[in-house]
Amino acid sequence: MVREMKADIVIIGGSLGGCAAALAAARLGKTVLMTEETEWIGGQLTSQAVPPDENRWIEQFGGTGSYRLFRDKVRDYYRRNVPLTPEAAAIPNLNPGNAKVSRISHDPRVALAVLLEMLAPYTLSGKLVILSRCRAEAAEMDGDRIRSITVRNVLTGTVTIAAAPYFLDATDCGELLPLTGTEYVTGAESKAETGERHALDGPADPQDMQAITHCFVVDYIEGGQHTIDKPNDYEFWRSYRPDFWPDQFLSFSGVRPSTLEHVRYDLFPGGQGLTFWEGFSLMSYRRLADKTSFAPGTFDGDMTVVNWPQNDYFLGSIIDVDEAEKSRNLRRAKELSLSLLYWLQTEAPRPDGKYGYPGFRLRKDVFGTDDGMALYPYIRESRRIKAEFTILEQYVNPLDRPDGRAAVFTDSVGIGHYGIDLHPSTGNRHYIHLNALPFQIPLGSLIPVRVDNLLPSCKNIGTTHITNGCYRLHPVEWNIGEASGALAAFCLERGESPRAVRNDPALLADFQSVLTKQGVELAWPDSVVG
């Protein structure tokens, strides 16, 4: 079956950026068709199971108004639906998981419910149509413009030809870029090419990309017996030790990313291991539900996302490789995660001299998958457009900014802050973990060098391998999506191109005014960067 659908804007990919783009475009009166490969919209926040990584100012600024509204709605969801203790209920900035990495760590199912609620006025009115389980497979081009994108439902085989004046690539891997012939880069650039301190000394390596992680959720029930079947690849992962790692990968040994010094991870809070920071433990690192914040009996045990150093998969890429290689690496990433769980349940050393914690229970109910794994692996690095303007390390690294401020961009469409955080890579390279200054998102990084009606809306903007490390987290991806959705709507309203908006001061000022009215911050307060 083949059908045709039209909208003002077609968004391929229901990632977090895709959801923000759909919300922005629909709010500005445009019709939107959004497709998503999995059953869940929300990307890294939902189907990939990664609680928000954010800047320390996020409760007041450093994210868009709609992103902060999302956070407020998450807290409201818990207050309305889950019995909190009086003490937890009295906390204005409730953190359901009390996670170390996030000020609002929460269940991915809650994130999904809130996103759907925020989009409900537009889905119910028909202004936004969401096609789940659909993957882009072809593009029809007309010179430097996209005419249509063909998507196929991976379950039914139904083909939809989606046509629109504007297309947004909100996939986590930048899937529209090769389909449309849009110029892009992957992997690590060379120092000779970008001048970045931490780029490669030798030639660029397009296949040197950050690890992916297939996350899963567990809770811990002391005395429980929840050991899974032994994974097929367990013996390989049990003995695996990367050249740059201090011990077996499946162990409590690791490194401090900023210094690469050897540390020992604590599994539970209160241990004696060398830690990243005070109070760090793997169990509380990305905890989704701290049972002490809820009425007794609500949770059997704390729930946490296992997105730990030990299940980062970097033995091969899933981008720009053939389907067999991609499938092999996706399978092995999942096997690594299952092997980590089995090792925790059976062989992990305990302080009492015994081995294994069979009380770790794989929460298959969270995602509804047969194997209990997240619906999609966590993708840290995408294909990136060759953009009118590329964001380089020297614009955000304090060592390159004598005035102590990140580069100022007159075409700013948002702000963000996160350290330059690169995980071990498929090029067998170690962590790169650097400070970064509070930065802006330049409009030029959202505009491809040639294709006129395609906008990136996820991790596929004009960054480098290095700066992707600080532009890839939740509030920044949301801001990127919101800016691209608003830009497409603005261009339709004015009959102008994104390139014209960036390069015409009057148009740029008008567009930035639209963003500001929608709650997008264009510059950091002087109290932060002054």
Side-chain angles (χ1 to χ4, degrees):
M1 176 181 173
V2 178
R3 61 180 176 177
E4 296 183 3
M5 298 184 70
K6 293 183 179 180
D8 293 326
I9 299 166
V10 167
I11 303 172
I12 303 296
S15 63
L16 192 58
C19 291
L23 182 64
R27 194 170 52 195
L28 291 169
K30 303 307 173 189
T31 60
V32 180
L33 172 63
M34 182 168 72
T35 70
E36 163 55 27
E37 184 175 341
T38 72
E39 296 175 13
W40 289 6
I41 62 171
Q44 62 174 318
L45 192 60
T46 59
S47 61
Q48 299 173 34
V50 182
D53 276 338
E54 302 169 327
N55 63 73
R56 65 180 182 270
W57 305 281
I58 195 64
E59 302 291 352
Q60 292 79 36
F61 44 79
T64 74
S66 63
Y67 181 75
R68 285 198 293 275
L69 176 63
F70 165 81
R71 300 172 86 257
D72 290 343
K73 284 181 173 291
V74 166
R75 289 172 172 142
D76 180 62
Y77 186 98
Y78 276 93
R79 290 192 170 99
R80 288 187 292 109
N81 295 291
V82 192
L84 298 164
T85 64
E87 295 79 9
I91 301 172
N93 297 332
L94 174 69
N95 185 349
N98 288 321
K100 193 67 181 179
V101 77
S102 174
R103 289 168 173 80
I104 189 167
S105 184
H106 57 282
D107 194 299
R109 293 170 292 186
V110 174
L112 176 64
V114 171
L115 288 171
L116 290 172
E117 182 181 88
M118 292 179 73
L119 294 170
Y122 311 108
T123 55
L124 293 176
S125 66
K127 290 182 172 60
L128 168 63
V129 175
I130 301 173
L131 302 180
S132 61
R133 301 309 305 263
C134 286
R135 181 183 301 152
E137 63 178 22
E140 182 185 3
M141 302 295 297
D142 183 7
D144 293 339
R145 296 186 65 83
I146 305 169
R147 292 175 62 98
S148 67
I149 299 293
T150 299
V151 300
R152 183 183 297 274
N153 186 293
V154 298
L155 294 180
T156 68
T158 298
V159 171
T160 301
I161 300 174
Y166 279 93
F167 294 85
L168 275 53
D169 184 344
T171 62
D172 277 278
C173 294
E175 304 288 1
L176 281 193
L177 304 184
L179 284 181
T180 60
T182 300
E183 290 81 2
Y184 68 90
V185 297
T186 62
E189 292 90 349
S190 70
K191 193 170 295 184
E193 179 183 2
T194 67
E196 295 172 304
R197 291 174 179 266
H198 293 88
L200 295 180
D201 289 324
D205 185 354
Q207 279 297 307
D208 184 4
M209 291 176 240
Q210 287 194 69
I212 64 172
T213 303
H214 214 124
C215 303
F216 57 97
V217 174
V218 296
D219 57 10
Y220 182 71
I221 315 299
E222 183 63 42
Q225 297 293 325
H226 301 289
T227 303
I228 64 171
D229 293 337
K230 184 177 179 180
N232 293 330
D233 292 355
Y234 180 68
E235 294 303 328
F236 172 84
W237 291 114
R238 182 177 179 271
S239 62
Y240 177 65
R241 179 177 180 176
D243 295 341
F244 52 78
W245 208 249
D247 201 343
Q248 305 301 111
F249 208 46
L250 298 188
S251 72
F252 292 133
S253 290
V255 301
R256 189 185 302 270
S258 57
T259 64
L260 305 184
E261 65 183 296
H262 181 198
V263 299
R264 177 176 170 79
Y265 306 123
D266 288 328
L267 182 56
F268 298 105
Q272 301 300 311
L274 299 174
T275 61
F276 290 112
W277 49 69
E278 184 181 357
F280 174 86
S281 76
L282 291 171
M283 194 62 186
S284 62
Y285 182 33
R286 299 183 189 275
R287 186 168 51 195
L288 301 178
D290 178 353
K291 72 174 185 178
T292 64
S293 292
F294 299 90
T298 302
F299 290 94
D300 295 330
D302 288 357
M303 289 174 58
T304 196
V305 168
V306 179
N307 175 13
W308 300 348
Q310 300 100 314
N311 62 328
D312 275 1
Y313 177 82
F314 44 83
L315 268 62
S317 169
I318 63 168
I319 292 177
D320 289 352
V321 295
D322 62 38
E323 282 300 316
E325 179 69 8
K326 177 180 177 180
S327 296
R328 175 176 178 270
N329 287 321
L330 288 171
R331 181 191 65 79
R332 296 190 77 192
K334 187 177 288 190
E335 280 283 308
L336 169 57
S337 288
L338 289 167
S339 294
L340 172 58
L341 175 58
Y342 185 77
W343 177 81
L344 284 169
Q345 293 171 326
T346 61
E347 295 195 71
R350 301 170 57 109
D352 60 9
K354 299 178 182 179
Y355 293 90
Y357 294 85
F360 275 109
R361 177 173 60 173
L362 178 59
R363 290 293 301 270
K364 292 186 176 184
D365 57 307
V366 174
F367 303 105
T369 54
D370 290 340
D371 57 14
M373 295 290 105
L375 296 169
Y376 200 78
Y378 176 33
I379 307 297
R380 295 182 175 87
E381 187 169 342
S382 171
R383 299 176 179 89
R384 308 182 294 276
I385 64 166
K386 289 187 176 180
E388 281 209 342
F389 183 85
T390 301
I391 304 163
L392 305 176
E393 179 186 355
Q394 45 267 44
Y395 300 141
V396 297
N397 189 331
L399 297 176
D400 294 307
R401 310 300 306 172
D403 62 356
R405 301 180 63 148
V408 175
F409 300 122
T410 57
D411 64 342
S412 173
V413 292
I415 60 174
H417 181 251
Y418 198 78
I420 298 174
D421 176 19
L422 280 75
H423 284 232
S425 72
T426 54
N428 204 38
R429 297 176 69 208
H430 220 320
Y431 286 102
I432 298 176
H433 193 89
L434 312 165
N435 290 329
L437 296 162
F439 53 76
Q440 293 174 304
I441 305 167
L443 177 57
S445 67
L446 273 64
I447 301 176
V449 293
R450 179 182 59 83
V451 178
D452 289 326
N453 64 337
L454 173 68
L455 295 170
S457 304
C458 196
K459 305 175 188 72
N460 49 356
I461 67 170
T463 57
T464 64
H465 175 70
I466 300 298
T467 55
N468 166 73
C470 59
Y471 276 76
R472 66 180 175 83
L473 279 303
H474 301 71
V476 178
E477 183 184 324
W478 183 291
N479 195 147
I480 289 166
E482 187 165 348
S484 66
L487 179 59
F490 181 85
C491 289
L492 284 169
E493 200 69 29
R494 294 295 189 94
E496 300 284 356
S497 70
R499 222 175 304 281
V501 173
R502 181 189 181 228
N503 294 299
D504 183 312
L507 281 173
L508 177 60
D510 286 350
F511 176 56
Q512 290 175 321
S513 177
V514 169
L515 291 176
T516 300
K517 289 176 182 177
Q518 296 295 319
V520 177
E521 300 164 345
L522 303 182
W524 283 92
D526 288 340
S527 60
V528 174
V529 298

